[in-house]
Amino acid sequence: MKTFTETCILWLSCILLFSGNSINAFTYDYTATTECLGEPQRAQYGGGIIVNPDFNQSLEAGWSTAIGQGNIEERISEAGNRFIVVHNRTNQLDSLFQKVQLEEGNLYSFSAWVQLSEGRETVAVFFKTTDGDLVRGGSVIADHGCWSLLKGGIVANFSSPVEILFRCENTKVDIWVDSVSLQQFTKTQWKSHQDNTIDKIRKSKVRFQVTDANKTAMRGAIVSIKQEQSDFPFGCGMNHYILTSTDYQNWFASRFKVTTFTNEMKWYSTEKRQGHENYTVSDAMVKFAKRNGISIRGHNIFWDDPKYQPEWVNSLSPEDLRKAAEKRLKSVVSRYRGKLIAWDVVNENLHFSFFEDKLGDQNASAEYFSEAYRLDPTPIMFMNEYNTIEYCRDEKASVANYLEKLQEILQYPGNEGISAGIGLQCRFGSGQPNLAYMRSSLDILGSTGLPIWLTEVDVGKDPDQAQHLEEILREGYSHPAVQGIVMFAGPELAGFKNMPLADTNFNNTPAGDVVDKLLGEWESEILEIKADDRGFVDALLSHGDYSVTVQHPEANSSTTLSFRMTKDIPQTTIDVQIHT
Ligand SMILES: *[C@@H]1O[C@H](CO)[C@@H](O)[C@H](O)[C@H]1NC(C)=O
Ligand SMILES: *[C@@H]1O[C@H](CO)[C@@H](O)[C@H](O)[C@H]1NC(C)=O
Ligand SMILES: *[C@@H]1O[C@H](CO)[C@@H](O)[C@H](O)[C@H]1NC(C)=O
Ligand SMILES: *[C@@H]1O[C@H](CO)[C@@H](O)[C@H](O)[C@H]1NC(C)=O
Ligand SMILES: *[C@@H]1O[C@H](CO)[C@@H](O)[C@H](O)[C@H]1NC(C)=O
């Protein structure tokens, strides 16, 4: 068990905790770590609705064994910490369990510390309903010899008791468990975490101090504050239709300052026939973006899915593939050197391994990162995966596997200096998104300190599609580790059929309304504030560029200035003089 400051390893959680609120239902604990520790940390939220979360009482308080004949045993570490060991497991789900009541509409954040008697295995948490359904709530790769944090969650779409269980596929190992926590939040509380965090991480305080030429406070001066540009990159994918439709161009350029080309930079687009590269379309799109001050995420150098290679690539020998891939990487990275803010280097290399398999080289991804970085060190180099935070049943792309792969790439000799990023596609299906799991996963991924981008946000068709989109975008924007969001959507005219933002007449769809609402909300509105007796005007402003005009009713002149609010400056004072 650690002291508070020791557990407070993480940047922003500390700010949130120290800012005066004790932990209660209105604060969310973003603390997470990927470190494997000698002793587990204390249960978050004091365990929440879990009885006997730290096993400091006798086991009968709260806990039972489930499924097969696994035995539970209490143990005490050398440091005096009590925990539980499940041994003699014969079934994957042999585990201790606790029954808790879930309420429909609430969100539940789960965490626990786990360890194994030997080896290294995935341990997952499940919520077993009274119908026997097993709802997965998160997982971690647990080790022998130290404790790992499993963080996850569930959104209840039913009111019913559930049993919380741990699963490990390997029944030969004992599962050790400690510090189990399930904290319940209403939707209102969840939204208030988002709003509070947005105020802390996306805004800063500014004070204007208005005086005359003699440094006398100018009471009653009017300070008008207008945000010219937002710092937060909230953008949208685009495709080649943008080159031929001025309506699409206007629609896009009036909203977004960052983009990803959905297909046009991909290998299958730029080299349809071997040796005949054609960048006409991609170049024109880069030109359009530059002309309109839109930053570009490069997407992608390679895609590890065998289905999405240029046709001619499939029949190449390993040696010819190696040469062709080298040429491709050099060609596209050099062509757009200095013009991109990011590269998706090897797309979907958790789900697929086309290059690794064909080349017989498990280091292929790491080598491509290395080579891309050598040719253009400025873009952040991303992995880019689906299902990591949207769907916790997909173990291939689990948070733990994502981080393991990324670490493997970054530890590859020579790759240490790469500025890497975590790309999360966020291709949500239909139905209620599991925001509790999404947030926990972002906590863990964010504990690496690497920038996270939601790169291809898309939501399945559903009567509540627009609402789900809003929930997902708010969850991303309000998370301290998320540094950018790009949707893969657009006007119907350009073929965005799954989640069109504008219909064929460029009128907003409900999803388009959500996007415009959030664009408006995430920029500060135009403010006009009167200075108090001391000549002070205080405001909380979203990060970005501002222009300000200061006037006094009795003065015949005004002063204008521009300034920039960034996350590095939590508060600042700006002196303004007006001449009377
Ligand atoms: C709850 O959601 C899951 C997954 O979206 C779905 O399969 C299930 O039918 C839902 N249950 C209820 C009671 O709506
Ligand atoms: C500023 O100071 C000058 C000289 O002391 C004085 O003449 C003038 O009236 C002052 N102006 C104001 C606005 O107080
Ligand atoms: C390259 O692509 C453009 C756009 O598709 C096309 O118009 C042009 O003919 C192509 N150039 C060659 C040499 O194939
Ligand atoms: C992969 O890289 C590691 C070093 O990180 C090296 O030991 C290993 O031999 C490489 N494997 C191949 C197939 O190149
Ligand atoms: C205010 O400034 C304008 C333009 O410089 C000038 O024409 C006018 O006479 C001034 N008024 C006063 C009250 O000083």
Tab-separated table of all heavy atoms in Angstrom, residues 125-164:
chain	number	residue	atom	x	y	z
A	125	VAL	N	-11.614	-9.168	-16.705
A	125	VAL	CA	-12.728	-9.121	-15.764
A	125	VAL	C	-14.034	-9.299	-16.539
A	125	VAL	O	-14.175	-8.794	-17.661
A	125	VAL	CB	-12.735	-7.800	-14.957
A	125	VAL	CG1	-12.941	-6.592	-15.853
A	125	VAL	CG2	-13.817	-7.827	-13.870
A	126	PHE	N	-14.944	-10.059	-15.974
A	126	PHE	CA	-16.254	-10.285	-16.590
A	126	PHE	C	-17.360	-9.948	-15.605
A	126	PHE	O	-17.203	-10.132	-14.394
A	126	PHE	CB	-16.399	-11.750	-17.031
A	126	PHE	CG	-15.712	-12.037	-18.329
A	126	PHE	CD1	-14.364	-12.348	-18.357
A	126	PHE	CD2	-16.408	-11.982	-19.525
A	126	PHE	CE1	-13.710	-12.598	-19.563
A	126	PHE	CE2	-15.775	-12.229	-20.725
A	126	PHE	CZ	-14.422	-12.542	-20.746
A	127	PHE	N	-18.448	-9.474	-16.145
A	127	PHE	CA	-19.661	-9.256	-15.357
A	127	PHE	C	-20.667	-10.301	-15.828
A	127	PHE	O	-21.106	-10.276	-16.978
A	127	PHE	CB	-20.187	-7.836	-15.571
A	127	PHE	CG	-19.178	-6.778	-15.205
A	127	PHE	CD1	-18.297	-6.266	-16.152
A	127	PHE	CD2	-19.084	-6.315	-13.900
A	127	PHE	CE1	-17.349	-5.301	-15.814
A	127	PHE	CE2	-18.139	-5.350	-13.546
A	127	PHE	CZ	-17.272	-4.848	-14.507
A	128	LYS	N	-21.021	-11.219	-14.933
A	128	LYS	CA	-21.934	-12.302	-15.319
A	128	LYS	C	-23.347	-11.944	-14.888
A	128	LYS	O	-23.604	-11.725	-13.696
A	128	LYS	CB	-21.489	-13.600	-14.651
A	128	LYS	CG	-22.239	-14.809	-15.136
A	128	LYS	CD	-21.698	-16.057	-14.467
A	128	LYS	CE	-22.606	-17.234	-14.764
A	128	LYS	NZ	-22.447	-18.284	-13.760
A	129	THR	N	-24.236	-11.879	-15.863
A	129	THR	CA	-25.617	-11.474	-15.569
A	129	THR	C	-26.404	-12.668	-15.036
A	129	THR	O	-25.944	-13.810	-15.103
A	129	THR	CB	-26.322	-10.946	-16.832
A	129	THR	OG1	-26.495	-12.041	-17.733
A	129	THR	CG2	-25.509	-9.857	-17.514
A	130	THR	N	-27.606	-12.399	-14.550
A	130	THR	CA	-28.442	-13.487	-14.028
A	130	THR	C	-28.843	-14.458	-15.129
A	130	THR	O	-29.158	-15.605	-14.868
A	130	THR	CB	-29.710	-12.920	-13.352
A	130	THR	OG1	-30.238	-11.905	-14.199
A	130	THR	CG2	-29.393	-12.331	-11.992
A	131	ASP	N	-28.818	-13.999	-16.406
A	131	ASP	CA	-29.105	-14.897	-17.534
A	131	ASP	C	-27.890	-15.735	-17.914
A	131	ASP	O	-27.947	-16.520	-18.859
A	131	ASP	CB	-29.510	-14.087	-18.780
A	131	ASP	CG	-30.765	-13.274	-18.551
A	131	ASP	OD1	-31.536	-13.661	-17.644
A	131	ASP	OD2	-30.947	-12.266	-19.251
A	132	GLY	N	-26.785	-15.514	-17.237
A	132	GLY	CA	-25.575	-16.264	-17.556
A	132	GLY	C	-24.719	-15.606	-18.627
A	132	GLY	O	-23.695	-16.150	-19.030
A	133	ASP	N	-25.149	-14.435	-19.133
A	133	ASP	CA	-24.321	-13.726	-20.122
A	133	ASP	C	-23.052	-13.215	-19.452
A	133	ASP	O	-23.094	-12.744	-18.309
A	133	ASP	CB	-25.067	-12.520	-20.707
A	133	ASP	CG	-26.201	-12.954	-21.607
A	133	ASP	OD1	-26.182	-14.119	-22.056
A	133	ASP	OD2	-27.111	-12.136	-21.833
A	134	LEU	N	-21.957	-13.306	-20.192
A	134	LEU	CA	-20.684	-12.810	-19.663
A	134	LEU	C	-20.315	-11.543	-20.423
A	134	LEU	O	-20.062	-11.582	-21.629
A	134	LEU	CB	-19.603	-13.871	-19.843
A	134	LEU	CG	-19.734	-15.075	-18.913
A	134	LEU	CD1	-18.925	-16.259	-19.423
A	134	LEU	CD2	-19.298	-14.710	-17.496
A	135	VAL	N	-20.308	-10.418	-19.728
A	135	VAL	CA	-19.969	-9.147	-20.358
A	135	VAL	C	-18.546	-8.798	-19.940
A	135	VAL	O	-18.252	-8.636	-18.753
A	135	VAL	CB	-20.929	-8.033	-19.907
A	135	VAL	CG1	-20.601	-6.722	-20.614
A	135	VAL	CG2	-22.374	-8.449	-20.140
A	136	ARG	N	-17.672	-8.713	-20.954
A	136	ARG	CA	-16.270	-8.430	-20.639
A	136	ARG	C	-16.100	-6.952	-20.306
A	136	ARG	O	-16.715	-6.089	-20.913
A	136	ARG	CB	-15.410	-8.808	-21.843
A	136	ARG	CG	-13.930	-8.825	-21.574
A	136	ARG	CD	-13.235	-9.408	-22.815
A	136	ARG	NE	-11.837	-9.024	-22.838
A	136	ARG	CZ	-10.840	-9.898	-22.956
A	136	ARG	NH1	-11.091	-11.190	-23.029
A	136	ARG	NH2	-9.594	-9.472	-23.004
A	137	GLY	N	-15.250	-6.662	-19.304
A	137	GLY	CA	-15.105	-5.272	-18.875
A	137	GLY	C	-13.695	-4.726	-18.915
A	137	GLY	O	-13.468	-3.604	-18.480
A	138	GLY	N	-12.753	-5.510	-19.457
A	138	GLY	CA	-11.376	-5.018	-19.528
A	138	GLY	C	-10.399	-6.147	-19.254
A	138	GLY	O	-10.795	-7.230	-18.811
A	139	SER	N	-9.117	-5.903	-19.542
A	139	SER	CA	-8.114	-6.947	-19.331
A	139	SER	C	-6.742	-6.325	-19.156
A	139	SER	O	-6.543	-5.146	-19.444
A	139	SER	CB	-8.092	-7.910	-20.521
A	139	SER	OG	-7.622	-7.252	-21.673
A	140	VAL	N	-5.823	-7.161	-18.674
A	140	VAL	CA	-4.435	-6.715	-18.542
A	140	VAL	C	-3.560	-7.943	-18.749
A	140	VAL	O	-4.026	-9.073	-18.570
A	140	VAL	CB	-4.186	-6.070	-17.149
A	140	VAL	CG1	-4.244	-7.120	-16.041
A	140	VAL	CG2	-2.868	-5.315	-17.101
A	141	ILE	N	-2.310	-7.723	-19.175
A	141	ILE	CA	-1.368	-8.845	-19.202
A	141	ILE	C	-0.692	-8.873	-17.832
A	141	ILE	O	0.032	-7.945	-17.477
A	141	ILE	CB	-0.335	-8.692	-20.330
A	141	ILE	CG1	-1.044	-8.605	-21.687
A	141	ILE	CG2	0.632	-9.877	-20.311
A	141	ILE	CD1	-0.118	-8.363	-22.865
A	142	ALA	N	-0.991	-9.922	-17.060
A	142	ALA	CA	-0.454	-10.018	-15.698
A	142	ALA	C	0.830	-10.845	-15.708
A	142	ALA	O	1.026	-11.698	-16.563
A	142	ALA	CB	-1.485	-10.659	-14.782
A	143	ASP	N	1.669	-10.575	-14.736
A	143	ASP	CA	2.970	-11.217	-14.624
A	143	ASP	C	3.073	-11.980	-13.321
A	143	ASP	O	2.265	-11.809	-12.424
A	143	ASP	CB	4.070	-10.137	-14.598
A	143	ASP	CG	4.610	-9.866	-15.977
A	143	ASP	OD1	5.017	-10.832	-16.635
A	143	ASP	OD2	4.601	-8.685	-16.381
A	144	HIS	N	4.137	-12.747	-13.243
A	144	HIS	CA	4.512	-13.340	-11.970
A	144	HIS	C	5.543	-12.423	-11.303
A	144	HIS	O	6.398	-11.862	-11.975
A	144	HIS	CB	5.131	-14.720	-12.208
A	144	HIS	CG	5.808	-15.262	-11.000
A	144	HIS	ND1	5.116	-15.545	-9.842
A	144	HIS	CD2	7.118	-15.534	-10.753
A	144	HIS	CE1	5.970	-15.983	-8.936
A	144	HIS	NE2	7.184	-15.983	-9.459
A	145	GLY	N	5.416	-12.230	-10.006
A	145	GLY	CA	6.448	-11.482	-9.281
A	145	GLY	C	6.138	-10.021	-9.054
A	145	GLY	O	6.864	-9.343	-8.336
A	146	CYS	N	5.075	-9.515	-9.656
A	146	CYS	CA	4.681	-8.125	-9.404
A	146	CYS	C	3.220	-7.930	-9.790
A	146	CYS	O	2.637	-8.765	-10.483
A	146	CYS	CB	5.581	-7.153	-10.167
A	146	CYS	SG	5.565	-7.394	-11.941
A	147	TRP	N	2.649	-6.848	-9.318
A	147	TRP	CA	1.210	-6.595	-9.486
A	147	TRP	C	0.938	-5.654	-10.647
A	147	TRP	O	1.602	-4.636	-10.799
A	147	TRP	CB	0.649	-5.964	-8.207
A	147	TRP	CG	0.656	-6.868	-7.023
A	147	TRP	CD1	1.671	-7.021	-6.122
A	147	TRP	CD2	-0.399	-7.729	-6.591
A	147	TRP	NE1	1.314	-7.925	-5.160
A	147	TRP	CE2	0.045	-8.384	-5.414
A	147	TRP	CE3	-1.680	-8.029	-7.077
A	147	TRP	CZ2	-0.751	-9.296	-4.717
A	147	TRP	CZ3	-2.465	-8.939	-6.390
A	147	TRP	CH2	-2.000	-9.566	-5.224
A	148	SER	N	-0.094	-5.998	-11.449
A	148	SER	CA	-0.484	-5.155	-12.586
A	148	SER	C	-1.884	-4.605	-12.369
A	148	SER	O	-2.753	-5.284	-11.816
A	148	SER	CB	-0.485	-5.966	-13.878
A	148	SER	OG	0.789	-6.517	-14.109
A	149	LEU	N	-2.091	-3.398	-12.834
A	149	LEU	CA	-3.396	-2.752	-12.703
A	149	LEU	C	-4.300	-3.111	-13.879
A	149	LEU	O	-3.948	-2.881	-15.033
A	149	LEU	CB	-3.220	-1.225	-12.650
A	149	LEU	CG	-4.507	-0.396	-12.683
A	149	LEU	CD1	-5.362	-0.633	-11.447
A	149	LEU	CD2	-4.177	1.099	-12.822
A	150	LEU	N	-5.449	-3.696	-13.559
A	150	LEU	CA	-6.484	-3.955	-14.559
A	150	LEU	C	-7.528	-2.858	-14.390
A	150	LEU	O	-8.123	-2.727	-13.317
A	150	LEU	CB	-7.102	-5.335	-14.303
A	150	LEU	CG	-7.996	-5.975	-15.368
A	150	LEU	CD1	-8.394	-7.383	-14.933
A	150	LEU	CD2	-9.180	-5.194	-15.777
A	151	LYS	N	-7.711	-2.045	-15.432
A	151	LYS	CA	-8.699	-0.973	-15.338
A	151	LYS	C	-9.696	-1.139	-16.476
A	151	LYS	O	-9.298	-1.402	-17.620
A	151	LYS	CB	-7.980	0.390	-15.439
A	151	LYS	CG	-8.624	1.470	-14.580
A	151	LYS	CD	-7.865	2.785	-14.571
A	151	LYS	CE	-8.648	3.777	-13.695
A	151	LYS	NZ	-8.208	5.151	-13.808
A	152	GLY	N	-10.967	-1.025	-16.195
A	152	GLY	CA	-11.974	-1.201	-17.239
A	152	GLY	C	-13.294	-0.620	-16.806
A	152	GLY	O	-13.338	0.266	-15.948
A	153	GLY	N	-14.367	-1.146	-17.375
A	153	GLY	CA	-15.660	-0.621	-16.968
A	153	GLY	C	-16.808	-1.148	-17.814
A	153	GLY	O	-16.612	-1.845	-18.808
A	154	ILE	N	-17.998	-0.786	-17.392
A	154	ILE	CA	-19.209	-1.260	-18.060
A	154	ILE	C	-20.271	-0.171	-17.947
A	154	ILE	O	-20.317	0.566	-16.958
A	154	ILE	CB	-19.698	-2.585	-17.411
A	154	ILE	CG1	-20.968	-3.113	-18.078
A	154	ILE	CG2	-19.918	-2.427	-15.912
A	154	ILE	CD1	-21.390	-4.494	-17.576
A	155	VAL	N	-21.075	-0.061	-18.997
A	155	VAL	CA	-22.259	0.802	-18.931
A	155	VAL	C	-23.448	-0.143	-18.830
A	155	VAL	O	-23.610	-1.022	-19.676
A	155	VAL	CB	-22.371	1.686	-20.189
A	155	VAL	CG1	-23.645	2.507	-20.135
A	155	VAL	CG2	-21.156	2.587	-20.303
A	156	ALA	N	-24.238	-0.013	-17.770
A	156	ALA	CA	-25.325	-0.963	-17.554
A	156	ALA	C	-26.528	-0.584	-18.406
A	156	ALA	O	-27.042	0.524	-18.286
A	156	ALA	CB	-25.707	-1.002	-16.081
A	157	ASN	N	-26.952	-1.496	-19.286
A	157	ASN	CA	-28.210	-1.260	-20.006
A	157	ASN	C	-29.321	-2.157	-19.441
A	157	ASN	O	-30.257	-2.521	-20.108
A	157	ASN	CB	-28.035	-1.431	-21.529
A	157	ASN	CG	-27.585	-2.823	-21.925
A	157	ASN	OD1	-27.275	-3.647	-21.068
A	157	ASN	ND2	-27.552	-3.083	-23.221
A	158	PHE	N	-29.114	-2.545	-18.169
A	158	PHE	CA	-30.114	-3.362	-17.474
A	158	PHE	C	-29.940	-3.106	-15.978
A	158	PHE	O	-28.859	-2.693	-15.545
A	158	PHE	CB	-29.902	-4.845	-17.771
A	158	PHE	CG	-28.475	-5.282	-17.543
A	158	PHE	CD1	-28.022	-5.607	-16.256
A	158	PHE	CD2	-27.564	-5.334	-18.600
A	158	PHE	CE1	-26.703	-5.981	-16.036
A	158	PHE	CE2	-26.234	-5.706	-18.378
A	158	PHE	CZ	-25.803	-6.022	-17.097
A	159	SER	N	-31.000	-3.317	-15.204
A	159	SER	CA	-30.880	-3.272	-13.748
A	159	SER	C	-30.964	-4.696	-13.249
A	159	SER	O	-31.997	-5.346	-13.430
A	159	SER	CB	-32.008	-2.446	-13.126
A	159	SER	OG	-31.826	-1.091	-13.432
A	160	SER	N	-29.888	-5.162	-12.649
A	160	SER	CA	-29.855	-6.567	-12.243
A	160	SER	C	-28.593	-6.817	-11.425
A	160	SER	O	-27.624	-6.068	-11.536
A	160	SER	CB	-29.871	-7.423	-13.524
A	160	SER	OG	-29.211	-8.629	-13.339
A	161	PRO	N	-28.612	-7.869	-10.601
A	161	PRO	CA	-27.346	-8.229	-9.959
A	161	PRO	C	-26.403	-8.855	-10.980
A	161	PRO	O	-26.863	-9.508	-11.920
A	161	PRO	CB	-27.749	-9.265	-8.908
A	161	PRO	CG	-29.213	-9.472	-9.024
A	161	PRO	CD	-29.710	-8.765	-10.228
A	162	VAL	N	-25.112	-8.644	-10.821
A	162	VAL	CA	-24.108	-9.337	-11.647
A	162	VAL	C	-23.021	-9.865	-10.723
A	162	VAL	O	-22.820	-9.352	-9.623
A	162	VAL	CB	-23.439	-8.420	-12.697
A	162	VAL	CG1	-24.415	-7.950	-13.745
A	162	VAL	CG2	-22.740	-7.232	-12.032
A	163	GLU	N	-22.338	-10.901	-11.198
A	163	GLU	CA	-21.175	-11.402	-10.478
A	163	GLU	C	-19.917	-10.904	-11.191
A	163	GLU	O	-19.799	-11.034	-12.403
A	163	GLU	CB	-21.178	-12.932	-10.473
A	163	GLU	CG	-22.293	-13.517	-9.639
A	163	GLU	CD	-22.416	-15.038	-9.818
A	163	GLU	OE1	-21.574	-15.628	-10.518
A	163	GLU	OE2	-23.367	-15.593	-9.251
A	164	ILE	N	-19.020	-10.346	-10.413
A	164	ILE	CA	-17.751	-9.893	-10.979
A	164	ILE	C	-16.751	-11.035	-10.871
A	164	ILE	O	-16.508	-11.559	-9.787
A	164	ILE	CB	-17.214	-8.683	-10.205
A	164	ILE	CG1	-18.220	-7.545	-10.279
A	164	ILE	CG2	-15.858	-8.251	-10.740
A	164	ILE	CD1	-17.813	-6.348	-9.456
